[in-house]
Amino acid sequence: MIDPKYFYNALVSHGTDFFTGVPDSLLKNFCAYITDNTPEDNHIIASNEGGATALASGYHFATGKIPLVYMQNSGIGNAVNPLLSLVDPEVYSIPMVLVIGWRGEPGFHDEPQHVKQGKTTCSLLDAMQIPYVIMADDTEKLDAQIAYCYKTISEHNAPFAFVVKKNTFGDYTLKNNVPTRANMKREEAIEHIMLNAPETAAFVSTTGMASRELYELREKHHQGHEKDFLTVGSMGHASQIALAIAMQKKNRPIFVIDGDGATIMQMGGLAIIGSRKPSNLIHIVLNNGAHDSVGGQPTVGLKIDVCAIAKACGYESVIAVGTADELEKAMKDAVAGHKLTLIQVKVQKGARKDLGRPKSTPQQNKQALMEFLSK
């Protein structure tokens, strides 16, 4: 395994001192080390991977230095546009180091949403003509790869990628991990939402822990899963899935269980929802100020006013709550009020260590939901 400090110091020795990206579970130890050891102006956890690529570009314009962008391979899709239309040698020719977590690596079991991405990760880099290496897990080989990386960047003035397998980085615990003061855990809040929703309600839950917790809570209460769409991939897009369902099923309450990181990643979705104003859509943002599913790296969720943003985007009713009683009242008011509503719920960081994963396939989940919606 590679000590995150070793890799970080090697990068700094080659002049890379600016880091940006979206955290990934395979990179969480490296990301944690960056968070603890990089000056605030030189580390930005971006809203999405395309934004991170643009941030890195701006840093290079201002300093002439080679920045680093980190991401999960699922985030390559968000980065393709700026990588090809901004960074590419045939456009502005911007040098940068990409560090990409390889979820769904062929030959190793992973969750369904990562399988195709894992198969296509290297071919996507080939198609974009971005040179890369599979990051070595011993320092001698890594030193040679780092030297090759910077030599290639120097020769072509273009990006170079490290594709990182599971367990490549050794352990590092985030020290700058301030707990979120809140009355409820996320799973507790989801339980109150689930148990207090109308029988006819359908749910769209966001990527990561929230969908896993909703699934487990249905099991706990001996309920079926047909009411829930688990957005296990496509981070940030749960609200748009829910919007389209709500517009077609106007007599059915549609709940979105969203997260602060996901909401921020695709914040333009709030404007689209607000412009359409579906009276049966209730958008719940569980805000703990962290990318909780991939290591707890901070978001700006608790530094911005999510309710004010939603209101400005056209949501007719917005409210922030912090207790179970407040949440239940807000839900009842939202259902009775027949107005497009956003409820922000402040929750604690963290999840149960024994939290399971859905046992049904994505196709089974989709089919069950479609049958429920058709009734």
Side-chain angles (χ1 to χ4, degrees):
M1 288 186 177
I2 300 298
D3 183 348
K5 179 180 179 180
Y6 185 89
F7 186 50
Y8 179 90
N9 286 340
L11 295 164
V12 171
S13 72
H14 282 83
T16 295
D17 61 358
F18 181 84
F19 303 84
T20 183
V22 177
D24 166 45
S25 56
L26 302 191
L27 307 177
K28 65 181 180 181
N29 297 321
F30 177 57
C31 292
Y33 191 86
I34 292 171
T35 299
D36 283 341
N37 293 278
T38 305
E40 186 176 3
D41 285 351
N42 280 32
H43 180 214
I44 300 176
I45 297 176
S47 60
N48 59 57
E49 295 81 3
T53 306
L55 284 163
S57 300
Y59 182 79
H60 173 71
F61 299 156
T63 66
K65 295 181 180 181
I66 300 170
L68 181 144
V69 176
Y70 56 82
M71 68 182 77
Q72 186 179 106
N73 53 351
S74 61
I76 294 174
N78 284 333
V80 165
N81 186 351
L83 283 173
L84 294 182
S85 63
L86 171 68
V87 174
D88 191 83
E90 295 186 43
V91 192
Y92 288 102
S93 195
I94 304 169
M96 62 182 63
V97 179
L98 307 176
V99 177
I100 303 169
W102 196 1
R103 294 298 303 268
E105 178 190 352
F108 295 87
H109 174 74
D110 210 328
E111 300 309 308
Q113 67 270 24
H114 296 297
V115 173
K116 180 58 70 70
Q117 190 73 55
K119 290 177 182 177
T120 60
T121 294
C122 295
S123 58
L124 283 170
L125 293 171
D126 287 332
M128 290 189 287
Q129 299 180 331
I130 295 176
Y132 66 91
V133 294
I134 309 302
M135 187 171 170
D137 59 4
D138 70 78
T139 55
E140 184 176 347
K141 292 179 181 178
L142 179 60
D143 286 342
Q145 289 181 338
I146 293 171
Y148 175 63
C149 163
Y150 284 95
K151 179 176 182 293
T152 304
I153 288 175
S154 176
E155 290 174 352
H156 300 282
N157 215 39
F160 184 97
F162 288 89
V163 178
V164 183
K165 294 183 176 185
K166 186 178 182 179
N167 297 325
T168 296
F169 283 111
D171 291 338
Y172 180 85
T173 301
L174 181 67
K175 296 180 177 62
N176 186 23
N177 189 11
V178 180
T180 301
R181 294 183 179 179
N183 291 298
M184 289 185 289
K185 296 179 179 179
R186 182 183 50 248
E187 187 169 5
E188 180 185 354
I190 293 172
E191 188 167 27
H192 283 285
I193 295 164
M194 185 187 84
L195 295 178
N196 287 277
E199 281 295 317
T200 57
F203 291 80
V204 179
S205 56
T206 191
T207 310
M209 298 290 189
S211 282
R212 292 167 61 184
E213 287 168 342
L214 178 58
Y215 186 94
E216 293 246 312
L217 286 165
R218 293 290 189 194
E219 295 280 292
K220 173 185 173 181
H221 290 279
H222 307 290
Q223 297 180 2
H225 302 283
E226 68 279 357
K227 297 180 180 181
D228 309 327
F229 182 79
L230 310 177
T231 315
V232 293
S234 300
M235 181 174 172
H237 295 296
S239 68
Q240 301 305 286
I241 296 169
L243 171 61
I245 294 173
M247 291 178 65
Q248 299 303 315
K249 298 293 179 180
K250 291 181 169 57
N251 294 322
R252 188 186 291 276
I254 307 298
F255 285 81
V256 188
I257 299 178
D258 220 340
D260 54 296
T263 301
I264 292 165
M265 178 172 278
Q266 301 293 346
M267 194 175 282
L270 296 178
I272 303 304
I273 294 171
S275 71
R276 291 291 181 157
K277 292 182 174 53
S279 62
N280 57 329
L281 184 63
I282 300 168
H283 192 168
I284 300 176
V285 178
L286 304 174
N287 191 348
N288 61 8
H291 285 288
D292 215 9
S293 297
V294 289
Q297 301 294 318
T299 71
V300 295
L302 297 176
K303 297 180 180 179
I304 62 175
D305 191 335
V306 174
C307 288
I309 293 167
K311 189 72 174 177
C313 286
Y315 281 67
E316 296 168 293
S317 177
V318 298
I319 185 171
V321 302
T323 68
D325 288 344
E326 291 172 347
L327 173 57
E328 291 178 18
K329 183 180 185 303
M331 284 182 57
K332 290 175 183 176
D333 291 346
V335 172
H338 300 289
K339 292 180 179 179
L340 171 60
T341 299
L342 182 136
I343 304 171
Q344 178 184 235
V345 188
K346 191 174 181 181
V347 295
Q348 299 171 15
K349 294 180 186 177
R352 288 188 288 114
K353 291 186 178 180
D354 62 346
L355 183 63
R357 295 181 182 274
K359 298 178 179 64
S360 56
T361 67
Q363 293 87 353
Q364 289 170 333
N365 176 209
K366 179 195 77 170
Q367 190 58 43
L369 175 77
M370 291 179 70
E371 290 176 5
F372 174 71
L373 291 174
S374 69
K375 295 176 182 177

